[in-house]
Structure formats: structure tokens, C-alpha cells
Amino acid sequence: MTEPSALSDSQLMARAHLWRRKSMMGSRDAGSIARAHEIEMRRRLGGATTKGAPLAQGRAQRRKWWRLW
């Protein structure tokens, strides 16, 4: 297996997706391999994924509908 650090960004994302899918299908070793690829993705991209992004920023500003005052 090629080390995640030796792959290009697009290859790394494709492999991380592939291994995560294999892990979800029940392969025992695929989870740890997927984690290694995902760790390398976070290291390179700096956590710039939508996984940790807030769902709606504007909703926190609105008043609750049941509060009349």
C-alpha cells in the first residue's frame, strides 16, 4: 500500500473515500487505513472541509417564535 503522504491531493481524497466505503461494508482493516488517509487530508487541508461547518449561521440571530416581548 502506498503511504498517504506520497499521494497527490486528488488521489488521497479518492482513496480515503474508497477505504471509508470498504470500512462501512464490513472490511476489518479498512477502518484504520481510512483513518490514516483522513488524518493526512486534515493535515494537508487544515480541516477545511464541510464536516465541521455550522449548518445555519443566521438562525441563531432570530427570535424564538413563542417569545412575544
Side-chain angles (χ1 to χ4, degrees):
M1 182 184 86
T2 306
E3 282 293 315
S5 59
L7 299 171
S8 70
D9 289 346
S10 60
Q11 290 174 328
L12 182 65
M13 286 186 232
R15 285 231 181 141
H17 179 72
L18 173 78
W19 284 108
R20 180 55 59 199
R21 182 176 241 188
K22 285 183 179 184
S23 172
M24 291 173 68
M25 296 299 243
S27 178
R28 290 184 187 264
D29 298 332
S32 61
I33 297 170
R35 264 189 303 284
H37 283 75
E38 290 163 355
I39 288 169
E40 180 63 21
M41 277 179 37
R42 280 192 299 274
R43 187 190 68 77
R44 285 188 195 181
L45 303 176
T49 64
T50 59
K51 187 175 181 180
L55 295 177
Q57 294 176 350
R59 290 186 64 96
Q61 308 298 331
R62 286 198 260 163
R63 289 183 6 189
K64 308 269 190 277
W65 63 270
W66 62 87
R67 294 203 179 182
L68 302 176
W69 56 92

